Amino acid sequence: MTELTFADWQARASEIEIEGRAFINGQYTDALSGETRPTYNPATGEKLVDVASCGPEDADLAVKYARDAFESGVWADMAPSERKMVLVRWAELIELYAEELALLETLDVGKPISDTFNIDAPSAARTIRWSGEAIDKVYEQIAPTPAGTMGLITRLPLGVVAAIVPWNFPLSTTAWKIAPSLATGNSVIVKPASNTPLTAIRIAELASEAGLPDGVLQILPGPGGSLGQHLSTHMDIDGLTFTGSTPVGKMLMEYSGQSNLKRTFLELGGKSPNIVFADADLDKAANMAAMAVFFNGGQTCTAGTRLIVQDSVHDEFMAKVIECAKGWAPGNPLDPETVMGPMVDQGQYNTVAEYVEVGLGEGAELAYGGKRVLSDEGGYYHEPTIFTGVNNQMRIAQEEIFGPVMSVIKFSDAQEAVEIANDSIFGLAGAVWSRDINTAIKVAEKVRVGTMGVNNYFGGDITVPFGGFKQSGNGRDKSIHAFDDYTELKTTWIEFE
Ligand code: NAP
Ligand code: MG
């Protein structure tokens, strides 16, 4: 727990030295073209630093170093117990530099410092440590074959993996990708989101300091449209892991098919149902319903943006939710008291404002919020916003807004709740609230999502897999199951006399 105050964080922010270069083959380096692109502080609109803008030629170089490192066996053939120790040391360094990493993340993304320090930075360290500590405890298999034969079933690293990540949880999402891919022996190239590259750039140096060999982890900031596409169509990259929007995810699957069929795993968007029955603990459910949407300004793929409430308690429950929403007023993210910061940039702010107009146009009732606030600070702050009277066919119930906008839909019985919940192209997360275990379990089983909470929202930790059904993606981050995405299953059939 840091004791730093708002003034302390502001003082550190004014002094921090920010690295904006790519990290290639163990060194910070400019893009070969010399091009840069600024990254901004969403709380003020001010430029933080010029960041290397890498292109295809930088990618080709990084792929060559990654391939050489892989083929040399310097990492892939290291004993799992030694790879473990490198990852554990790296996690310790991330903990040691947690204040600096939290500050970088807050400046770059606009997330509250209390979140980046208490959630994002520790989560990254925990993920890397967990994958490291797991890798020397997984066993492989021998099949039940006839006498005189032996069928070995082993898992081998893919080789060179590219990770393309979004801006909403840059540090923790990057850790979700690189911890299992590195633990399993791959060489990894990360392309961070253009507007939030800073923490990925910083932790690469810490990885080197922890003993990760050169070329095994490289960070290439640059545009999705050119650099991202070049990586995705590269003939010498074996795996692609992605978190981001569903439209880009669909393109990546095509790129894979057009190039070398690289293993492609996607974590995409959501429109997650949060179902509240009349017999739930309504105070707790209301508190969490607000958090489920307003945490991280709603810029969370698992946000519980469809609040599906049993009609008999709708008005009573919504009065409680609106009370809770008042606690999510946006503020300066460097203030440890702030719970919600600005939207990440002007574009994301505009999207939110447009969807508020769409909701009003569709006839939903604006029950709370709906406006820009704190505009004199220069940041993109939007109030927590609640629409009631929504039906599930409206655009504000079907489309991912990625902002602090809740759409409230009524239901009468469990079957209807499940039908509404499943009437979505997405299937990432959801929750059900009821004191009746029969109702809760029955509904939880029927909702087609990758992660379902029962009497909680955002539950779960590194021990359980995370990912989507339907157009929310394929593959899984976190837990031992993440290792599957970064390894090929190999059979070796042995005959003996
Ligand atoms: P995005 O536009 O899909 O961008 C994600 C990443 O892909 C960025 O690094 C982006 O680079 C890159 N990219 C863009 N176009 C590309 C292309 N043609 N080829 C290769 N790479 C390309 O998504 P976003 O707006 O940053 O993030 C928000 C989305 O992520 C939301 O839909 C949200 O639901 C989803 N998300 C999902 C999860 C999950 O685990 N399921 C978690 C978090 C977020 P640039 O930054 O240069 O554009
Ligand atoms: Mg930024």
Side-chain angles (χ1 to χ4, degrees):
M1 203 58 186
T2 177
E3 300 295 317
L4 296 178
T5 63
F6 189 10
D8 295 334
W9 285 115
Q10 284 176 307
R12 291 200 183 194
S14 67
E15 287 161 9
I16 192 167
E17 281 181 30
I18 302 178
E19 179 60 72
R21 287 174 295 173
F23 191 78
I24 298 177
N25 198 29
Q27 288 182 358
Y28 284 120
T29 161
D30 293 319
L32 287 168
S33 68
E35 279 181 33
T36 59
R37 176 196 194 275
T39 185
Y40 296 93
N41 178 350
T44 60
E46 285 163 12
K47 182 170 105 173
L48 291 165
V49 68
D50 288 313
V51 175
S53 185
C54 296
E57 61 287 359
D58 301 286
D60 291 345
L61 200 59
V63 171
K64 184 188 163 307
Y65 289 126
R67 176 63 59 194
D68 289 350
F70 183 71
E71 296 297 339
S72 76
V74 61
W75 179 247
D77 294 343
M78 191 186 271
S81 60
E82 300 203 1
R83 286 205 301 269
K84 168 181 77 176
M85 290 317 298
V86 173
L87 293 175
V88 168
R89 277 197 298 273
W90 187 20
E92 284 168 356
L93 287 171
I94 288 173
E95 284 166 345
L96 190 65
Y97 291 97
E99 287 179 351
E100 181 195 338
L101 290 167
L103 180 57
L104 271 182
E105 192 86 325
T106 287
L107 292 174
D108 208 9
V109 190
K111 293 162 97 72
I113 193 77
S114 54
D115 287 351
T116 54
F117 185 74
N118 295 311
I119 300 173
D120 300 77
S123 151
R126 204 158 46 236
T127 301
I128 291 166
R129 178 183 282 117
W130 195 93
S131 290
E133 287 188 336
I135 199 64
D136 68 343
K137 296 167 191 72
V138 284
Y139 289 73
E140 300 191 297
Q141 294 174 323
I142 300 180
T145 57
T149 67
M150 192 180 279
L152 304 186
I153 305 171
T154 54
R155 285 204 166 267
L156 301 183
L158 296 177
V160 177
V161 170
I164 300 181
V165 295
W167 46 261
N168 59 337
F169 289 86
L171 181 56
S172 49
T173 307
T174 300
W176 282 9
K177 303 299 192 192
I178 59 186
S181 53
L182 289 174
T184 45
N186 296 281
S187 295
V188 183
I189 296 170
V190 178
K191 192 210 90 60
S194 292
N195 47 5
T196 62
L198 299 181
T199 46
I201 291 173
R202 178 70 179 101
I203 62 171
E205 186 179 36
L206 298 179
S208 270
E209 208 177 314
L212 195 71
D214 293 349
V216 175
L217 174 66
Q218 305 178 90
I219 313 293
L220 293 188
S226 51
L227 173 65
Q229 180 174 3
H230 186 74
L231 291 168
S232 313
T233 51
H234 206 287
M235 295 300 288
D236 201 29
I237 291 181
D238 308 288
L240 176 63
T241 177
F242 173 75
T243 295
S245 62
T246 296
V248 173
K250 288 183 177 184
M251 285 198 274
L252 299 188
M253 287 296 231
E254 290 185 21
Y255 295 158
S256 166
Q258 288 160 9
S259 56
N260 61 344
L261 281 179
K262 55 181 66 64
R263 306 295 175 254
T264 299
F265 293 107
L266 311 169
E267 305 287 356
L268 308 174
K271 194 76 191 179
S272 296
N274 186 17
I275 304 169
V276 180
F277 281 85
D279 68 350
D281 176 341
L282 294 184
D283 289 319
K284 186 174 176 200
N287 198 14
M288 292 307 296
M291 169 176 257
V293 183
F294 304 136
F295 174 67
N296 206 33
Q299 303 168 122
T300 307
C301 48
T302 49
T305 45
R306 288 187 298 151
L307 179 60
I308 303 174
V309 185
Q310 197 155 28
D311 44 16
S312 58
V313 288
H314 176 274
D315 295 354
E316 173 195 355
F317 183 66
M318 287 316 302
K320 291 178 192 288
V321 175
I322 287 168
E323 271 313 298
C324 295
K326 293 177 184 165
W328 288 89
N332 189 313
L334 284 177
D335 183 346
E337 300 295 318
T338 293
V339 290
M340 187 167 112
M343 302 291 96
V344 74
D345 57 22
Q346 176 85 56
Q348 195 60 28
Y349 174 82
N350 291 346
T351 302
V352 174
E354 281 161 25
Y355 272 106
V356 171
E357 291 305 314
V358 168
L360 290 170
E362 291 179 306
E365 290 153 36
L366 184 62
Y368 188 74
K371 291 192 304 295
R372 182 167 188 167
V373 283
L374 302 176
S375 46
D376 50 347
E377 302 219 351
Y380 315 107
Y381 294 92
H382 197 281
E383 284 179 308
T385 296
I386 300 176
F387 278 111
T388 53
V390 176
N391 79 56
N392 201 50
Q393 303 315 315
M394 292 180 180
R395 287 181 59 198
I396 58 165
Q398 287 292 330
E399 298 174 16
E400 183 174 52
I401 300 172
F402 229 55
V405 182
M406 177 191 290
S407 299
V408 186
I409 304 165
K410 286 185 193 174
F411 74 90
S412 57
D413 60 16
Q415 192 189 336
E416 190 188 6
V418 169
E419 279 169 13
I420 294 169
N422 285 337
D423 179 14
S424 169
I425 63 165
F426 298 114
L428 190 57
V432 55
W433 298 80
S434 170
R435 284 198 173 95
D436 181 343
I437 189 151
N438 299 305
T439 305
I441 301 287
K442 198 165 63 187
V443 170
E445 272 192 0
K446 292 272 186 240
V447 177
R448 307 278 300 163
V449 297
T451 299
M452 188 76 186
V454 174
N455 293 328
N456 70 82
Y457 207 93
F458 293 140
D461 62 19
I462 181 66
T463 65
V464 288
F466 174 82
F469 286 19
K470 301 196 267 184
Q471 292 188 40
S472 291
N474 61 344
R476 290 296 180 266
D477 285 325
K478 300 201 303 170
S479 87
I480 216 110
H481 296 279
F483 293 168
D484 293 352
D485 290 6
Y486 302 105
T487 50
E488 293 283 13
L489 205 53
K490 177 160 184 170
T491 295
T492 307
W493 185 269
I494 303 168
E495 295 189 2
F496 56 95
E497 289 163 10

